[in-house]
Amino acid sequence: MSDAAILTLALPKGRLADQSIRLMAAAGLPQPGRNAGRRLVLASDDGQMRFILAKPVDVPTYVEYGAADVGVCGLDTLRESRRYVYEPLLLPFGHCRLSLAAPVTRPDLPLRYESQPRVATKYPNLTADFFRARGVNAEIIALNGSVELGPLVGLADLIVDLVETGDTLRENGLTEIRTIMHSQAVLIVNRAAYHLKAAAVHNLIDALRTAVENAAR
């Protein structure tokens, strides 16, 4: 089978990849071959699909630039990346929220009364948008590691981070004060592939949509 006929799917390494593969199995779609080891590019046993295992934040980039025809990522990652892709289907996993959090000792004051708060986050674009919309001149500090550390060592006054259970926040003396957005997994499609590989792309979308609907019943 020629490369032009193969559909390439970018998956975020970790739990979202595992959940995506389980959903594809339920949809009767091709699966990555077994005994993958540490390989990052895998073919399905039938040769109809290729799978790229990428860092989650990179999936929208692979899809926008056409290195992958389709991909799975979190809505939070997609909105932060601002990549130009189609979003045909929300997927029923990866539920969490992007929240603004503060030390539990912080006075409960309206954000507009804050004077240039320092905010640590892995989401500088979404964080800047949130504060700008409220007329707050926040200093955004981009971090790649545990942003909960920011207030503990005096680097930041507030943080913006993904929250699922809130346990990590509580264990570090922090509490949610605003929800910026709710997130879940989403299927994304390269805009050119959506037309050039229309049959394969639409078959994938339809199969996943049916599996999602069946799971919800």
Side-chain angles (χ1 to χ4, degrees):
M1 183 176 292
S2 68
D3 284 350
I6 296 174
L7 200 63
T8 301
L9 172 64
L11 294 176
K13 289 187 284 186
R15 185 167 56 175
L16 283 186
D18 296 337
Q19 293 169 315
S20 300
I21 291 170
R22 285 197 293 271
L23 181 63
M24 292 180 68
L29 293 166
Q31 305 291 294
R34 297 182 180 180
N35 302 317
R38 294 181 179 271
R39 287 183 295 166
L40 299 177
V41 180
L42 311 170
S44 61
D45 290 333
D46 62 7
Q48 293 182 8
M49 292 191 68
R50 179 188 295 119
F51 298 86
I52 297 173
L53 299 178
K55 191 172 181 180
V57 297
D58 292 333
V59 168
T61 302
Y62 281 104
V63 174
E64 183 189 46
Y65 281 90
D69 303 306
V70 294
V72 174
C73 65
L75 273 174
D76 56 292
T77 299
L78 181 60
R79 297 288 178 263
E80 176 66 22
S81 72
R82 299 180 175 177
R83 295 299 179 185
Y84 194 46
V85 296
Y86 288 131
E87 308 169 38
L89 185 63
L90 291 172
L91 303 177
F93 49 82
H95 292 278
C96 55
R97 57 196 178 274
L98 186 67
S99 293
L100 177 68
V104 294
T105 55
R106 174 186 177 274
D108 186 18
L109 296 173
L111 290 176
R112 66 180 181 274
Y113 295 155
E114 290 278 357
S115 177
Q116 291 188 314
R118 292 181 297 173
V119 188
T121 185
K122 298 174 188 174
Y123 298 85
N125 290 328
L126 290 174
T127 301
D129 289 346
F130 173 81
F131 281 98
R132 189 180 301 113
R134 287 153 182 79
V136 178
N137 184 25
E139 179 182 355
I140 311 301
I141 303 172
L143 295 177
N144 294 313
S146 299
V147 297
E148 297 88 359
L149 188 60
L152 296 179
V153 299
L155 176 67
D157 305 302
L158 306 167
I159 70 167
V160 169
D161 202 13
L162 280 187
V163 178
E164 189 170 353
T165 65
D167 290 344
T168 302
L169 292 178
R170 287 188 289 272
E171 290 172 3
N172 289 282
L174 300 169
T175 185
E176 293 177 77
I177 58 175
R178 299 286 191 285
T179 297
I180 294 177
M181 68 172 288
H182 290 277
S183 182
Q184 66 188 91
V186 60
L187 183 74
I188 59 176
V189 183
N190 172 269
R191 299 177 72 85
Y194 189 83
H195 301 287
L196 297 176
K197 298 185 177 182
V201 168
H202 285 284
N203 285 341
L204 175 73
I205 295 170
D206 291 343
L208 290 175
R209 181 177 287 115
T210 298
V212 169
E213 291 171 353
N214 289 340
R217 289 173 184 166

